[in-house]
Amino acid sequence: MNSAPYARIVDEIRQRIESGTLKPGDRVPSTRQITQDWGVAMATATKVLTTLRREGLVRAVPGVGTVVRTTEVPAPPVRATRRRMAEAELSREAVIRKGIEIADAEGLRALSMRRVATDLGAATMSLYRYVPGKDELVLLMANACFGEELLPAEAPEGWRARFELAARTQWRIYRRHPWLAQVISMTRPQPLENLLLHAEWAMSALRELDLPYTTALYFHVTVFGYVRGAAANLEPEVEAERETGLSADEYMETQNAEFSRIVASGAIPHFSAISDLVDFELDLDLLFELGLRWTLDGMAGSLARHDYPT
């Protein structure tokens, strides 16, 4: 029997699962709890959860933690009659909704025409009557997401209030669909009608200032690009937590030793002094709000000075 500390902990948690003490869906001890309960290093605790995942006993659930994997009974093959019934109920909207559901739960990497068809109980080829392929499906999904919250006809007074509302609305959409930001291109914009409606709504406020169209467009793209850039951090974090089972805080704990080594080297004295005084924890929502404020402050100053392209 392997006497390594991580192996003994794995054996104990495995026994809890097999005995039913830990039931399917129950959270298993986190890396932090393992270090506290068993008195081991964070690296050892991480290896425990990695081993349990490799054995198929647990899985990472974003926003929840590592839980006991549910034993799923394979679904019986879809009979031809059932498949025909499913295909009779297919529509472009159904395909798009299912694609969004898969991407939200498992990321874009899990999305394929075959996967969508399987989840809908239909033949893969039947989907091509409604969507030409995966690339087109992803764009249709993106357009549908931006259509979930179209901006109000009665807009708030002033360009800044309007830009704030547009930016926060888009941030909520990206938060709801973490994969979305990586789909949207800044240099090769896609013809997504609902996204263009967001742009039209925001730019109309700047037109009231009698700005040149080019200037209004640059201001809009600056704010839109800021929101998209902030949202680009969402999907990688979800993927990392899904794959490792570690939250952002738990990940940072595994890196403490290396960060301490760099600090001790004296190479980063200013960063070291700040980190000694401030217990900093990155909050993406707060970062978004601060960045939005500073971006709009810069725009306000540019407008006041008439310092913009014409």
Side-chain angles (χ1 to χ4, degrees):
M1 181 177 177
N2 194 332
S3 59
Y6 88 90
R8 293 197 299 272
I9 301 170
V10 168
D11 287 339
E12 185 170 333
I13 295 176
R14 186 191 298 113
Q15 289 171 11
R16 295 183 190 178
I17 294 172
E18 292 174 350
S19 68
T21 303
L22 286 172
K23 298 178 176 58
D26 285 352
R27 287 191 61 182
V28 300
S30 65
T31 51
R32 183 178 302 172
Q33 187 177 346
I34 291 172
T35 62
Q36 294 172 348
D37 292 352
W38 279 275
V40 295
M42 182 61 68
T44 300
T46 302
K47 192 170 184 179
V48 169
L49 294 183
T50 300
T51 302
L52 290 169
R53 281 196 299 276
R54 287 175 178 169
E55 293 182 4
L57 295 173
V58 302
R59 66 187 183 92
V61 178
V64 176
T66 302
V67 303
V68 178
R69 184 179 291 276
T70 302
T71 302
E72 298 176 348
V73 179
V78 178
R79 296 184 182 276
T81 301
R82 288 177 57 200
R83 176 167 288 175
R84 284 196 297 270
M85 290 174 61
E87 291 175 1
E89 297 173 355
L90 278 181
S91 66
R92 171 177 280 205
E93 290 71 25
V95 173
I96 294 170
R97 283 197 305 271
K98 182 55 68 175
I100 293 172
E101 180 183 315
I102 292 169
D104 286 351
E106 302 176 44
L108 274 182
R109 288 192 296 181
L111 182 71
S112 67
M113 297 294 279
R114 178 180 299 227
R115 171 63 189 279
V116 173
T118 298
D119 282 17
L120 289 172
T124 302
M125 292 306 297
S126 66
L127 267 60
Y128 292 94
R129 296 200 298 267
Y130 305 98
V131 181
K134 178 182 174 180
D135 290 344
E136 292 82 2
L137 172 58
V138 171
L139 292 182
L140 289 168
M141 290 160 51
N143 189 59
C145 290
F146 282 109
E148 291 173 354
E149 291 195 52
L150 293 179
L151 294 154
E154 293 295 326
E157 291 291 330
W159 69 269
R160 180 161 186 151
R162 188 172 295 197
F163 266 71
E164 287 178 348
L165 179 57
R168 291 184 181 123
T169 299
Q170 289 165 17
W171 178 250
R172 284 197 304 273
I173 294 171
Y174 284 127
R175 268 296 202 184
R176 195 178 305 133
H177 308 289
W179 52 271
L180 182 57
Q182 63 183 291
V183 172
I184 305 303
S185 174
M186 292 286 294
T187 57
R188 301 188 179 192
Q190 303 98 329
L192 305 179
E193 182 177 358
N194 289 328
L195 183 55
L196 289 172
L197 289 174
H198 278 258
E200 174 69 17
W201 191 91
M203 287 179 61
S204 65
L206 291 172
R207 288 299 299 154
E208 293 171 3
L209 301 179
D210 199 28
L211 292 173
Y213 280 109
T214 299
T215 301
L217 184 57
Y218 269 116
F219 275 131
H220 161 67
V221 172
T222 295
V223 177
F224 175 79
Y226 163 70
V227 179
R228 176 189 172 276
N233 297 289
L234 299 174
E235 177 74 350
E237 173 56 28
V238 171
E239 286 287 343
E241 187 168 338
R242 185 183 292 124
E243 292 177 1
T244 66
L246 301 177
S247 67
D249 287 344
E250 290 171 335
Y251 163 78
M252 288 303 298
E253 289 184 15
T254 68
Q255 305 301 310
N256 279 343
E258 185 61 14
F259 276 115
S260 296
R261 182 193 66 77
I262 297 172
V263 168
S265 72
I268 51 172
H270 297 296
F271 183 86
S272 175
I274 293 172
S275 63
D276 287 341
L277 295 173
V278 180
D279 185 13
F280 182 77
E281 182 176 341
L282 183 65
D283 182 327
L284 282 179
D285 290 307
L286 176 58
L287 180 64
F288 164 76
E289 285 292 339
L290 289 173
L292 178 61
R293 182 201 308 166
W294 293 333
T295 299
L296 295 178
D297 283 349
M299 288 174 58
S302 182
L303 288 170
R305 297 187 304 271
H306 298 279
D307 177 23
Y308 44 76
T310 58

